[in-house]
Amino acid sequence: MSQGRTLTFNIFRYDPQEPGDKPKMVKYQIEEAPGMTVFIALNMLREKQDPSLQFDFVCRAGICGSCAMVINGFPTLACRTLTSKYPKAEITLMPLPGFELIGDLSVNTGKFMRELAERLKLWLHPKADEVDIHRIEAPMAPEEAAKLYELERCVECGVCVSACATKQMRDTFVGAVGMMKIARFELDSRDTRSVEDFYHVIGNQDGVFGCMTLLGCQDNCPKDLPHMQQIAYLRRKMATALV
Amino acid sequence: MNVKSLQSHHTHYASLGSPWSAKADKVQSITGILLGCFLLAHLHFESSILLGKKAFYHVVQFLEGGMFSSTGHGFPMVTKLFSIFILIVVMLHALVALRRFPAQLGQWRALRRHMSGINHKDSHAWFWQLVTGFILFFLAPVHIFTMITNPEIGPHLSAERVYHANAWLLYALLLPAVVIHAMIGLYRVAVKWGLTANRAGLRKVAKVLIVYLISIGLLSLISYILIGRELSLPITPFVP
């Protein structure tokens, strides 16, 4: 553990609410502590040097997905990034691209995720006669539950959206998070939507056939979700849906 | 599920799924695989000149159906017809691949901004595929049209084209562009459809193939230039 180093942070600063404010990079220095994460460093900076610094966090344990930002060119979670990872002791922080900027490192991923869920109808569509609150739910096979759980691990941090050049070029593209969630309901035996129904949602340039397989999602996902296999699976499924 | 309600909800996004979306994606992949595999074979065939004039002569003789012709040399018509077929495949591939081009300035700027801000190798590889793809719009048809109008191939005939008709310049530009485009493309098509899970291995194979194919391509190009310099015009076709 490199102890006693002085870390230099280059942080993007811009407050769209502040009239006349312009985007700029601001330099901060801080003493490194053992086991320090970028998230801890940011909190110390805000506490001791600049209370106006804006960034998001809730859980500080890689579960809430709030503290995603671009750290030295890699979009990832600040709470899971140790400062000791950077031998040069220089860390550049940028807000996630592709989202509405709230201020500094804080972006509105929630608005994006909500719109996506409404647009792709990302909730279970059960059979009408199956909704009976007086009856015990039908059990699910453990294998199926495990498969769904694997895809449910997504924390909606927005890293896959920011890492995707296709999404940056095509604003209406659903991104890996959208396809991951569609795949989750496609695999769910309780969901009544057919392959054709899903085709009408993601069988276009905004969905699987717009994906250019740049794999920024696969390479940056902080939860290591299997985006590459999942999108390939959906693509194969959709490619044979309407023939 | 009520499809109509979906449609009304989606009016500001891409329209309802059309079977053409899937078809376009499949056509792009299939034509890409065809062209990539053809390139692998093509570069090896033309590089047989590195084994001597006789070796190249026999490759051409075999591919042009020498065993069916009375002279034993084969039919240049075979090359002509095959070139027309390749031109059609290239046109189809270009037509569907155009969907991927950042045709608007805003898209191009978004791509460049993304590349400067986010450090990601596969995105950069795609950028080079895009650049080489654009170059191929102009270089590939020149080569294919030459093979349709003047399909004569042989150790001396090809050397004449390379050296005396100055085709070396075209080939020197076309070779790296087409090899980079095709090998990154074959890698991408494999991970795109989930043909393999060993992505790191595949990427290594693509890199090795790029270096290898450009090497044999350049060496054989030099061979043709050296043979061409020795020939006086009008040339007489090589006969073993």
Side-chain angles (χ1 to χ4, degrees), chain B residues 7-98:
Chain B
Q7 189 173 27
S8 62
H9 186 76
H10 273 221
T11 39
H12 57 296
Y13 299 113
S15 56
L16 267 183
S18 147
W20 284 103
S21 298
K23 279 187 188 130
D25 225 32
K26 280 188 267 187
V27 167
Q28 187 182 0
S29 293
I30 292 167
T31 52
I33 292 170
L34 257 175
L35 292 170
C37 292
F38 165 66
L39 182 77
L40 278 169
H42 177 27
L43 285 177
H44 281 101
F45 291 148
E46 64 89 4
S47 296
S48 60
I49 194 73
L50 295 171
L51 302 175
K53 289 183 185 181
K54 230 170 127 181
F56 183 59
Y57 176 85
H58 287 301
V59 168
V60 176
Q61 186 191 35
F62 172 75
L63 291 174
E64 291 193 338
M67 60 189 97
F68 304 112
S69 73
S70 52
T71 58
H73 296 311
F75 310 97
M77 183 56 103
V78 174
T79 304
K80 191 188 268 263
L81 290 175
F82 193 77
S83 301
I84 293 171
F85 167 70
I86 288 293
L87 181 65
I88 293 168
V89 179
V90 167
M91 283 169 71
L92 262 175
H93 186 71
L95 181 76
V96 282
L98 264 180

Side-chain angles (χ1 to χ4, degrees), chain B:
Chain B
M1 170 166 209
N2 189 346
V3 167
K4 269 203 180 126
S5 72
L6 258 176
Q7 189 173 27
S8 62
H9 186 76
H10 273 221
T11 39
H12 57 296
Y13 299 113
S15 56
L16 267 183
S18 147
W20 284 103
S21 298
K23 279 187 188 130
D25 225 32
K26 280 188 267 187
V27 167
Q28 187 182 0
S29 293
I30 292 167
T31 52
I33 292 170
L34 257 175
L35 292 170
C37 292
F38 165 66
L39 182 77
L40 278 169
H42 177 27
L43 285 177
H44 281 101
F45 291 148
E46 64 89 4
S47 296
S48 60
I49 194 73
L50 295 171
L51 302 175
K53 289 183 185 181
K54 230 170 127 181
F56 183 59
Y57 176 85
H58 287 301
V59 168
V60 176
Q61 186 191 35
F62 172 75
L63 291 174
E64 291 193 338
M67 60 189 97
F68 304 112
S69 73
S70 52
T71 58
H73 296 311
F75 310 97
M77 183 56 103
V78 174
T79 304
K80 191 188 268 263
L81 290 175
F82 193 77
S83 301
I84 293 171
F85 167 70
I86 288 293
L87 181 65
I88 293 168
V89 179
V90 167
M91 283 169 71
L92 262 175
H93 186 71
L95 181 76
V96 282
L98 264 180
R99 299 174 302 148
R100 310 300 196 199
F101 271 77
Q104 287 154 4
L105 184 61
Q107 289 178 310
W108 174 259
R109 287 181 58 208
L111 174 66
R112 297 301 294 166
R113 201 168 46 233
H114 185 264
M115 287 178 65
S116 66
I118 307 283
N119 189 350
H120 185 241
K121 278 185 191 145
D122 271 35
S123 298
H124 284 248
W126 180 78
F127 177 77
W128 286 109
Q129 221 190 340
L130 172 77
V131 170
T132 50
F134 186 74
I135 293 171
L136 290 175
F137 270 117
F138 307 97
L139 298 186
V142 182
H143 174 48
I144 301 172
F145 268 106
T146 312
M147 298 324 292
I148 293 172
T149 51
N150 300 82
E152 296 80 16
I153 304 174
H156 288 177
L157 292 162
S158 298
E160 181 197 18
R161 180 163 31 240
V162 169
Y163 183 72
H164 294 284
N166 287 321
W168 63 268
L169 179 61
L170 172 71
Y171 293 155
L173 297 171
L174 181 59
L175 177 71
V178 76
V179 168
I180 290 170
H181 186 86
M183 293 308 117
I184 299 177
L186 285 179
Y187 155 74
R188 195 179 308 288
V189 85
V191 289
K192 181 175 175 171
W193 293 93
L195 305 179
T196 173
N198 184 3
R199 183 168 155 225
L202 208 61
R203 204 156 42 186
K204 222 169 270 170
V205 171
K207 272 186 203 162
V208 169
L209 277 175
I210 286 175
V211 174
Y212 164 69
L213 291 175
I214 292 181
S215 302
I216 61 166
L218 277 181
L219 286 174
S220 54
L221 186 58
I222 293 167
S223 297
Y224 288 115
I225 292 173
L226 293 178
I227 295 169
R229 277 173 57 169
E230 311 255 294
L231 296 173
S232 49
L233 293 173
I235 64 126
T236 43
F238 175 85
V239 181

Side-chain angles (χ1 to χ4, degrees), chain A residues 66-139:
Chain A
S66 301
C67 65
M69 56 187 69
V70 183
I71 306 176
N72 282 1
F74 293 94
T76 189
L77 298 178
C79 69
R80 300 224 321 194
T81 307
L82 291 166
T83 54
S84 58
K85 216 177 118 183
Y86 305 99
K88 284 186 185 160
E90 281 216 356
I91 298 170
T92 301
L93 303 179
M94 300 289 288
L96 284 187
F99 294 100
E100 181 189 311
L101 184 74
I102 295 171
D104 302 338
L105 301 172
S106 170
V107 291
N108 200 344
T109 48
K111 186 180 167 193
F112 172 88
M113 295 298 169
R114 163 131 203 157
E115 280 175 5
L116 189 74
E118 287 176 359
R119 177 181 158 199
L120 301 181
K121 301 197 182 300
L122 299 176
W123 55 85
L124 190 74
H125 289 51
K127 293 179 189 109
D129 57 344
E130 269 187 8
V131 185
D132 181 358
I133 55 168
H134 302 296
R135 221 173 49 198
I136 295 172
E137 273 185 290

